[in-house]
Structure formats: structure tokens, C-alpha cells
Amino acid sequence: MTILQAVLLGVTYWLAIGNLPFVGLWSLQRPLVCGLVAGFILGDPIKGAVVGGTINLVYLGFMSAGGSMPADMAIAGILGTTYAIVGGIDAQTAMAIAVPIGIIGTIVWYLRMTFDSIFVHMADKYVENGEYNKIWKANVLYPQIMAFFMTVIPCTLAAYYGGAYIQSALNLLSGRVLTVFQIIGGLMPALGIGITLMYIFKGESKIFLFLGFLLAVYSKLSLLPLGMISLIVAIIYVQVSSNNNKVAIEEED
């Protein structure tokens, strides 16, 4: 890995959690997406997508409420994919390594949230002085500059130096320890899917879960037609529910 590639990985991490328009928390932050980008940077986009998608399974039920960040899935996807490509490890082992990295990555998030409070007071002073044209600096410019250095530097160092030593570490852990990592990595997708099912298996959505399961098992259709059928059913359900609500409101009136 070159230092340029490591810096590009760091910039990818900044874009993934920087809350910039059209990129970030709802797109690039997902391990599937940032893993693919990391794969392009490192010259192996196919493995990047495979490893990123595997790591993404752990975070299917990911939720961030009230500004909390239970895990940093962007850094998990980027570094997990990086170590998989540079170290030549499989997706399950990379996932077992990436998940603890994601937990450690929350330190960056909470440091950002802590120091961002400084810019709030700065914006208050701009308002008090009537300098409304400078509020954007406290709201956008300064926080993004701080986020750039807080994300690019640690991710670049972790990618450049960590990638160089990951193969040596794996050789040291080869045998039973590495097998344990592979087993743990194989179990983690079940955890992500299980958390997602907890949210799905509520209220009226239960019937659609069983219907989709039966259709997938016995119809032998591929994912694309199954996805289209699911979309059509969802649209019809929303339309019927909306019409029923309108009728109920009209009857009450």
C-alpha cells in the first residue's frame, strides 16, 4: 500500500461521517459502499464489495438515536476491507477484526460531538454582534475542518501501518486462534439479521415476513424478481392503507 492510497482511505472515512450533502450517514457510511470505495482505491473493487457487504450484515439493525453512536460502521468497513485486501484474509475473518475496530471508532464520533459545542458558542457571538454572514463558518466550515483532521489522520495511519503488519499478526495467530476468529465472523451476520427481524416482527408486518419467506423458498425465483414483487406488494399495501384511513376519517366527519 502506498501513502497516497492510505490518505485516500482517510478522506473516504471523512466523507463517510462528515454529514456533507449527498454523502455520509445515509450512503457512504454503510460498509457495503465504503468497502467498495476502499476496494477501488486498493485495486480490488470486487473483493472490496464482498468484504464490505459481509461486514454490512452485522449492521443491518443499526440505529443511532439522540446523537448516540453504538458503533462506527464506516471505519469498520474501510479498515476491515483494507486489511482483507492487503493481508489476503477472507471476509469472515475481516469481519471479526472490523467489528472491534468499529467500537473503538466511536471515540472519534464522541470527540467530535464534544468539541463541536465550541462552535455553537461561536455562532452565538456572531448573532450577538450582528455578523449573520459568518454563522455558516461556525455551522459548516470550522466543524468540517476539525472533522477532517480527526478522521483522516487516524484512519490514514491505521490503514498504512496496520495494513503493513496485519499479515504478520495473522501468521502469529494462525491455527486455533485464527479459526476462532473465523467462527466468530461467521456468527456475526446472524446477529445483524436477528436484530433486523426484531424490528420487522411487529404489528401487521409479521404476515409479510412469512409470505416473503414462503415465496423465496418455494418459488425458486432470483433476488431481482423477488425484490420487484416485494416493492409492488408494499406499494399496494400503502395505497390500500391510505384509502382505508381516508374512508375512516370521512365517516367520522
Side-chain angles (χ1 to χ4, degrees):
M1 179 192 296
T2 64
I3 187 64
L4 177 60
Q5 289 174 317
V7 171
L8 290 175
L9 291 170
V11 172
T12 302
Y13 179 41
W14 168 58
L15 294 174
I17 68 170
N19 294 337
L20 294 170
F22 308 111
V23 295
L25 300 181
W26 307 112
S27 55
L28 190 58
Q29 186 192 29
R30 302 292 167 177
L32 173 60
V33 182
C34 61
L36 174 62
V37 174
F40 272 111
I41 294 173
L42 297 173
D44 195 346
I46 295 178
K47 187 169 184 177
V50 171
V51 175
T54 304
I55 296 173
N56 205 125
L57 291 173
V58 181
Y59 301 103
L60 286 176
F62 180 87
M63 289 186 64
S64 176
S68 65
M69 183 65 69
D72 190 340
M73 55 181 171
I75 195 69
I78 293 171
L79 291 183
T81 302
T82 299
Y83 296 158
I85 295 175
V86 175
I89 59 179
D90 58 90
Q92 284 72 26
T93 306
M95 177 169 42
I97 297 173
V99 171
I101 293 175
I103 297 175
I104 297 174
T106 57
I107 296 174
V108 175
W109 175 265
Y110 289 116
L111 284 175
R112 279 186 60 204
M113 295 300 102
T114 300
F115 289 115
D116 276 348
S117 61
I118 298 173
F119 304 120
V120 176
H121 299 296
M122 189 179 297
D124 290 338
K125 290 184 178 179
Y126 288 147
V127 174
E128 291 175 0
N129 297 331
E131 299 174 320
Y132 303 109
N133 61 317
K134 295 183 179 180
I135 295 177
W136 73 274
K137 294 181 179 180
N139 190 40
V140 178
L141 181 61
Y142 300 145
Q144 286 301 328
I145 292 175
M146 184 187 70
F148 180 86
F149 287 104
M150 291 183 66
T151 54
V152 173
I153 293 176
C155 184
T156 298
L157 294 175
Y160 187 73
Y161 292 104
Y165 294 106
I166 188 64
Q167 188 61 57
S168 299
L170 290 173
N171 292 334
L172 183 64
L173 297 174
S174 62
R176 183 172 298 179
V177 177
L178 187 58
T179 302
V180 171
F181 271 94
Q182 292 172 336
I183 294 173
I184 293 173
L187 292 174
M188 284 182 178
L191 176 62
I193 295 172
I195 294 174
T196 304
L197 290 176
M198 288 177 62
Y199 294 107
I200 295 176
F201 201 72
K202 292 181 179 180
E204 299 176 353
S205 61
K206 295 179 182 179
I207 185 64
F208 295 107
L209 174 63
F210 290 111
L211 180 62
F213 177 79
L214 292 173
L215 185 64
V217 172
Y218 294 105
S219 68
K220 306 300 181 181
L221 293 173
S222 62
L223 288 177
L224 182 59
L226 285 173
M228 295 302 298
I229 293 172
S230 301
L231 177 61
I232 294 171
V233 171
I235 293 174
I236 294 174
Y237 175 75
V238 171
Q239 291 177 341
V240 172
S241 299
S242 299
N243 291 333
N244 290 338
N245 291 334
K246 290 180 181 178
V247 172
I249 293 173
E250 292 175 356
E251 291 178 352
E252 291 178 356
D253 295 338

